[in-house]
Amino acid sequence: MLDGVEILTTSGIVLWRRHYAPIPRSVVNSLVADVFIEDRRLQTGDTQQPPTSYRKDKYTLKWTRAKDVGLVFVAVYQSLLHLSWVDTLLTAVKTLFLKEYAPELAKPHLTKLDPARFDPTFDALVRKLDTGSTRRPSVPDSEGPGELTPPSSSASATEEAVDEPPPPPPPQPLFRKPTAPASQRDDTSTDATPVPTPDTSRPSTPASHLLTAKSGPGKASRRARKAQQSFGNSSAPASSGDESATGRAQAGKTGTAKAKRRWDADGFAVEGEEEVLDYSTAGATPSQADNAAGQREAADVPAVDSAQMGTRTPKGHFILKDLDDDISALLANPPHQQNHPPTQTTPSDPTLLTTATTKLTSLFQNILGNKSLTATDLRLPLAQMRTHLLAKNVAREAADRLCAAVEEDLLNRKTASFTTVDATLRQAMSSALTKILTPSSSLDLLRDVTATTTTTTGAGARPRPYVISIVGVNGVGKSTNLSKLAYFLLQNGFRVLVVAGDTFRAGAVEQLRVHVGNLSALARRGGGGSISLFERGYGKDAAAVAREAVGFAAGGTTTTANAGGGAGGVGLLFDVVLIDTAGRRHNDARLMGSLAKFSQWAHPDKVFMVGEALVGTDSVAQARNFAKEFVDGTGRLRNNGIGMDGFIISKCDTVGDMVGTLVSMVHATGIPVVFLGVGQHYGDLRGLNVGWAVERLMR
Amino acid sequence: MAGSDTPNDWLTWAFSPTISAILVTLVVSLCLPVLIHYYLYRKASAKVLPTVLLIGPSGAGKTTLLTLFANGTPSATHTSQEPQTALCQLPSTTSSHEDRYRSEHDTSSRSQPKFLLVDTPGHGKLRHHALSSLTSPTALKGLVFVVDSAAVSSAAGLTETAEYLHDVLLLLQKRHTQSKTSRDPQAIPVLIAANKQDVFTSLPASLVKSKLEQEIAKARQTRSKGLLDSGIGMEDDGGDDEESNWLGQYGAKEFKFAQMEEHGVEVKVIGGNVRGEGEEKGRVEEWWAWIGENL
């Protein structure tokens, strides 16, 4: 069952909504944030096609967009259901809404619409598309096989608009006849005994055996069968004259003859049906009585021609004509065929003069601006832009996706005055790159460290050391960048513990020992921090070493009881723990698997992956494989489902302008770039300036 | 010939000193410029409307405030993806800046001034809309920084709000101190609207102010000690020294909004709520009053 449909503008205002069940606001908000703004595609492994549905909590959301007017149409339903008609509903809603409100949408600065005009259209659409298997139980349609649902009874609490006037009750017999010819209505009989009058929905009475014997659209119900049997068992067959039946019935009524107990096939006594079932004493045949009654009823009330009002669908639903025509025409030809942009009229046989004039006019239009952009206009400049990006070392997948996004953005837009198509494209590409590279929330490392090491209030009451771990493939510069990070923290007066988590590579521990020696000498000169190394030699399990180190830094072991001096929490030996890990190929499953255990034992606050700026297309695969390893205990990726906390792009001084790796890695995972390594000295660590990066890429 | 006679006649008449010719000339020469003026200026707007910018972290209530000011009742909203402009008019109960010379008992009807209210997205990736509208030259008369008073009571919400506010104030300060002309650019006053005061966990406006001041002090401290940007050396006009990146009074330990006044940025913190609980309406009169003063 559909939970709700909302229509909102790109600036966030909800223009129209219909909720069948309460939907928390965070559901649609997270759709907008995750899909439209941040464009996360981790759930679908394949990123070539754009995602079509989004899951959050127990809801699934599907959407469609109208980019030219800036509208988003969202449908929400429970994830357990599989509603196949939601896509059609959304497309139809989009077309009808745009048609209905076309004049208001053409005006600028739209903040409000009158929602009531769209309500009846939407109700009709849902009724038509909702195939009944998922119909809500609030709609009372248990009236019997002929599913007549008078619209007035189908209103749920949220639907205020009563769209169609309820059909007056008397026409019901007119409807009943075609669907249930075997039905016999008791109240049309002139001699109906009132006491055990069955419901109008109960279809059969024994007098109708005359009809059931002949007709039989298969719906002979129990009563009809009973009736048949009852009269079959009686001495007088049905075809006998009325008098005998009358006589028999009268005899039965007066009670002179013994009341015959009827038994049906199921073993139940058929009780008390003689009075009810006998209609032969009236004199008029049941069919005549019915006709007479029907005509009489029809005479009382002006006849309503149902065919004029609307049509009846095979399920028996009656839908008003004008809306249905519209909608069925819409559903018959899918709108994307209708919305096909009118092809430009090209001359059939281009003569020299016409080609020259068209070239000149397009040239002038290009320079002057105000040109509406079509796919052919954009094809060549986009191809050039793609080559340009590839030349800047952006991975092919990222370049394709960026170009597709820009093309979708620019299609059917008008260029500003005095800007060429090329300039417009560059501008659009710059803003797309800025959007990808800008992080959702900027990292302030010093702030986080201070907060964690000095917090004494709130949930995490005890101060604990801040744990940062560095991962990456072999040879990208993990140990070097770790030392640069340590230097930065030392300059700010923190106490740093460097953990040699690389227990595999020969010389890894000695390398770190040299770095720590240098840094402690530098720290003594000025800065006020202190640094030391924690190592357990070679061959041990890295996760165990890391856990032991974090415990040591928190001051937990019995041997070290006194707290070190300097800034930071009381009782902590060290403020920051930097864990170095072994380099591993991203396609080596065994080594990558040990990362999960590492993150669960060490509980790092931040996981940074180091990638070199020199790597080419491999960066995408590297980033993805590393990101999906960091799963916490419940199976969810840490850091809000992203995996890692940031990239450190090393060796940026060697690539000059070709900093496309930044874009590839961010595109692959959605994880922001936090630091750039620009040299081999301790001070060569920079933050990312998005404007600088975009300017380098577009140069 | 008859064909060439009539133009000849007309021309003779036109150049002759008859009263009718003089009158016709007078009428044409006086009306023609007026008609040309109306034709040329038929689509030009009368004057540039003042603009007020809505800025704030995501979820503060900016888009709802926009709908309230534009339509009179707040509508349901979700996260914004694009900026939105709306034309608003001061309500009749608010007195505007233009009325400061009017007597209180003046009963003549006057039309309240109109202004453009620009709502910007608060999501981290889309803040460039807001920051670029601050630096671009428009008739920006005021800045409303909307704050969720309930989110400010938590550490994460407070940090995000304070960092964004720090960036905005720093941008305004740089605009003032680094202007190229000798005449200062027009000062933009800032209103910090502490929204959602009806929520149970919300802090009162004075507490919001003091908390924000403390967080901004911490933020400017860590910014000054942080890593250098990769874009260093990009701008030609000398490297930024520490002083230009320091908000408020250089070297002061604490930050107060009053320190911003020397850069021409007047900051005020006023509480209110856009949506009332249940059937109540929101309290936004003080915000209207502030806008009216600064238009």
Side-chain angles (χ1 to χ4, degrees), chain A residues 647-664:
Chain A
F647 287 118
I648 303 180
I649 307 289
S650 60
K651 310 177 191 173
C652 285
D653 51 325
T654 59
V655 289
D657 272 352
M658 299 169 50
V659 288
T661 322
L662 292 172
V663 178
S664 322

Side-chain angles (χ1 to χ4, degrees), chain A residues 3 19-24 58-59 78:
Chain A
D3 269 2
H19 280 181
Y20 294 106
I23 302 177
K58 50 182 179 24
Y59 295 99
Q78 306 270 340

